[in-house]
């Protein structure tokens, strides 16, 4: 999928989000360069438009996980799944600066934690449930620097929120199955 195709698909999927302020958030992220941003500086999606492709892939993955778990855990609406998966990496909109050689370098313009920054971006536009906040906040799982420091918050979150576990797994699957660098070449 190209970044242009992913932008169209993302906006299609974004229609599942009907909360007050969602349209304003979509317009704002469009103006701020979300659809042109890379997903990383040197790993998956390290190219213009990589972030939107990644977000679409995460949504598709979390839908599959949810569908598989639906018989036991039917509590998550498609809207909630769209919110956490499509918006989990908003923090990356301004996280990388393109270099003269075409590569990207991390630029910490607002050095809040990875998941926290995404939550901070969303909340002025629309409300999130506590579980949606936790899922977005902890989507990096054990790769989050706070978890590496010995905090039990990740374990506590995963114990109380299947949504957080589902988002983490969907993020990892999209990154390591759908967006492998060798698959793009």
């Amino acid at each position: 999928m190209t970044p242009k195709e992913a932008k169209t698909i993302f906006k299609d999927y974004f229609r599942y989000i009907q909360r007050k302020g969602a349209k304003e958030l979509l317009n704002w992220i469009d103006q701020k360069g979300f659809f042109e941003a890379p997903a990383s500086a040197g790993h998956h999606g390290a190219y213009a438009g990589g972030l939107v492709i990644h977000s679409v892939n995460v949504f598709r993955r979390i839908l599959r996980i949810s569908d598989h778990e639906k018989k036991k855990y039917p509590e998550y609406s498609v809207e909630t799944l769209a919110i956490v998966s499509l918006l989990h990496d908003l923090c990356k909109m301004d996280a990388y600066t393109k270099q003269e050689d075409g590569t990207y370098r991390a630029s910490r313009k607002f050095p809040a934690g990875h998941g926290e920054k995404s939550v901070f971006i969303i909340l002025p536009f629309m409300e999130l449930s506590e579980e949606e906040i936790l899922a977005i906040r902890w989507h990096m799982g054990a790769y989050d620097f706070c978890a590496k420091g010995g905090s039990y918050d990740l374990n506590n979150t995963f114990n109380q929120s299947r949504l957080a576990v589902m988002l983490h797994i969907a993020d990892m699957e999209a990154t390591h199955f759908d967006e492998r660098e060798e698959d793009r070449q």
Side-chain angles (χ1 to χ4, degrees), residues 89-164:
D89 272 345
L90 288 187
C91 57
K92 294 182 176 184
M93 284 187 304
D94 67 351
Y96 306 106
T97 305
K98 192 169 189 174
Q99 305 301 295
E100 287 185 25
D101 66 359
T103 61
Y104 290 90
R105 181 182 306 163
S107 60
R108 304 289 283 173
K109 294 178 182 174
F110 182 67
H114 183 84
E116 292 97 324
K117 184 177 174 186
S118 293
V119 170
F120 295 157
I121 291 169
I122 298 165
L123 285 175
F125 291 93
M126 63 184 212
E127 290 184 20
L128 296 173
S129 71
E130 286 183 13
E131 194 167 10
E132 290 164 346
I133 290 170
L134 288 173
I136 294 168
R137 181 344 188 172
W138 287 105
H139 77 269
M140 292 295 294
Y143 296 103
D144 189 285
F145 288 118
C146 291
K148 291 180 180 183
S151 168
Y152 289 102
D153 290 342
L154 171 63
N155 188 52
N156 293 336
T157 296
F158 281 3
N159 280 335
Q160 74 182 45
S161 172
R162 284 184 286 277
L163 182 63

Side-chain angles (χ1 to χ4, degrees), residues 47-99:
Y47 51 87
L51 182 54
V52 67
I53 290 171
H54 173 67
S55 300
V56 165
N57 287 336
V58 173
F59 181 62
R60 289 175 172 174
R61 287 285 178 175
I62 204 169
L63 284 176
R64 287 185 209 147
I65 294 166
S66 175
D67 191 47
H68 178 75
E69 297 296 323
K70 200 68 113 180
K71 292 177 182 114
K72 291 195 306 192
Y73 312 115
E75 68 263 39
Y76 303 116
S77 67
V78 175
E79 180 181 47
T80 285
L81 298 175
I83 288 168
V84 300
S85 60
L86 294 175
L87 304 177
H88 77 284
D89 272 345
L90 288 187
C91 57
K92 294 182 176 184
M93 284 187 304
D94 67 351
Y96 306 106
T97 305
K98 192 169 189 174
Q99 305 301 295

